[in-house]
């Protein structure tokens, strides 16, 4: 293997990390004139917290873009990496790099989200059936319990087991285990809230959320002395 062939996986991973560093929760919220999602609810720049703003369209767009930034780098390596000697191992590395970019984005002071949607995008690209099984797990738990965090934790734990039991080990299994472990770690505060019964359920709007460009309420103007005099002259003053 030449030095250039060894460099290709590193360059691909670096590019994937930069793509993953695009915090679409913040970008989309700014575009819609909403408050910064890092300042309300869980403080997490992700689709679930954007949903707490009450703007479903912004939340859906954030979800799709966060998933796409995990899916696209893996897909590109799969489609075009063969000519450069990039195989499944590099695909898994690139997916993990995009996921790490979401967690610790270089463009947003390394303060990112929990990575649920991005991890889902990575898994779908690496193994579509694994991705669908993991997404189905999330949907079932979320539908029954109405906790996004609980659904994410359960799906993160089950994903590597699905891969190992059905498709075997390899780079995909390693990537699924690493992402699953980091997802559980990033949800440690949510685990405490779940145990205490204080975790917010899906669809509940966060308190204190307001558009970032909200206009102040109009003030009522008291009538001036000149206006009062005109009114008196026109209608007269009736004394008892």
């Amino acid at each position: 293997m030449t030095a250039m062939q060894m460099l290709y996986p590193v360059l691909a991973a670096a590019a994937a990390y930069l793509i993953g560093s695009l915090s679409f929760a913040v970008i989309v919220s700014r575009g819609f004139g909403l408050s910064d999602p890092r300042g309300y609810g869980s403080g997490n720049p992700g689709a679930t917290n954007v949903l707490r703003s009450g703007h479903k369209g912004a939340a859906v767009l954030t979800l799709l873009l966060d998933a796409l930034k995990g899916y696209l780098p893996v897909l590109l390596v799969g489609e075009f990496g063969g000519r450069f000697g990039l195989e499944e191992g590099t695909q898994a590395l690139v997916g993990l790099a995009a996921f790490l970019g979401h967690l610790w984005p270089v463009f947003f002071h390394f303060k990112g989200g929990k990575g649920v949607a991005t991890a889902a995008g990575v898994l779908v690209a690496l193994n579509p059936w694994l991705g669908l099984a993991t997404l189905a797990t999330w949907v079932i738990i979320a539908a029954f319990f109405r906790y996004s965090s609980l659904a994410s934790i359960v799906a993160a734990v089950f994903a590597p087991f699905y891969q190992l039991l059905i498709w075997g080990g390899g780079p995909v299994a390693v990537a699924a285990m690493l992402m699953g472990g980091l997802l559980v770690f990033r949800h440690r505060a949510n685990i405490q809230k779940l145990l205490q019964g204080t975790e917010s359920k899906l669809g509940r709007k966060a308190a204190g959320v307001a558009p970032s460009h909200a206009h102040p309420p109009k003030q009522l103007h008291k009538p001036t002395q000149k206006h009062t005099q005109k009114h008196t002259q026109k209608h007269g003053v009736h004394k008892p």
Side-chain angles (χ1 to χ4, degrees):
M1 180 181 290
T2 66
M4 199 62 191
Q5 287 176 319
M6 295 177 62
L7 187 60
Y8 286 143
V10 176
L11 293 175
Y17 170 78
L18 293 177
I19 293 172
S21 291
L22 297 171
S23 186
F24 284 113
V26 178
I27 295 169
V28 170
S29 293
R30 288 176 182 174
F32 280 91
L34 303 172
S35 297
D36 191 319
R38 296 169 293 183
Y40 61 82
S42 65
N44 175 60
T48 301
N49 207 37
V50 174
L51 182 61
R52 294 190 178 105
S53 72
H55 201 300
K56 293 182 180 179
V60 170
L61 184 58
T62 300
L63 178 68
L64 293 175
L65 291 173
D66 277 350
L68 185 62
K69 72 183 184 183
Y71 178 84
L72 189 59
V74 179
L75 179 69
L76 291 175
V77 172
E79 289 291 325
F80 306 106
R83 70 188 69 174
F84 302 104
L86 305 181
E87 299 178 353
E88 186 182 58
T90 303
Q91 284 184 282
L93 176 65
V94 162
L96 184 60
F99 175 75
L100 293 174
H102 181 84
L103 266 57
W104 294 287
V106 66
F107 303 126
F108 293 86
H109 308 290
F110 300 100
K111 296 178 180 178
K114 295 182 172 70
V116 177
T118 304
V122 171
L123 292 179
V124 170
L126 289 173
N127 181 345
W129 289 111
L130 171 62
L132 289 175
T134 306
L135 286 171
T137 303
W138 189 97
V139 169
I140 291 169
I141 299 299
F144 273 93
F145 297 99
R146 306 298 298 169
Y147 289 111
S148 173
S149 56
L150 179 62
S152 301
I153 293 165
V154 173
V157 171
F158 272 69
F161 284 104
Y162 290 150
Q163 176 65 29
L164 288 169
L165 292 173
I166 302 173
W167 297 281
V172 176
V174 173
M177 284 189 285
L178 290 173
M179 289 191 296
L182 285 170
L183 276 168
V184 173
F185 173 75
R186 296 286 283 190
H187 280 85
R188 59 194 185 280
N190 301 90
I191 293 172
Q192 287 291 332
K193 291 180 180 179
L194 286 167
L195 293 174
Q196 296 168 1
T198 58
E199 178 72 328
S200 298
K201 290 192 174 185
L202 276 169
R204 182 179 296 175
K205 187 174 181 180
V209 179
S212 58
H213 301 295
H215 296 287
K218 294 182 179 180
Q219 296 181 348
L220 295 175
H221 297 282
K222 294 182 179 180
T224 61
Q225 183 178 0
K226 185 176 181 181
H227 176 78
T228 305
Q229 289 176 350
K230 286 184 177 180
H231 181 80
T232 304
Q233 291 173 359
K234 183 176 180 180
H235 300 283
V237 178
H238 299 282
K239 295 182 179 180

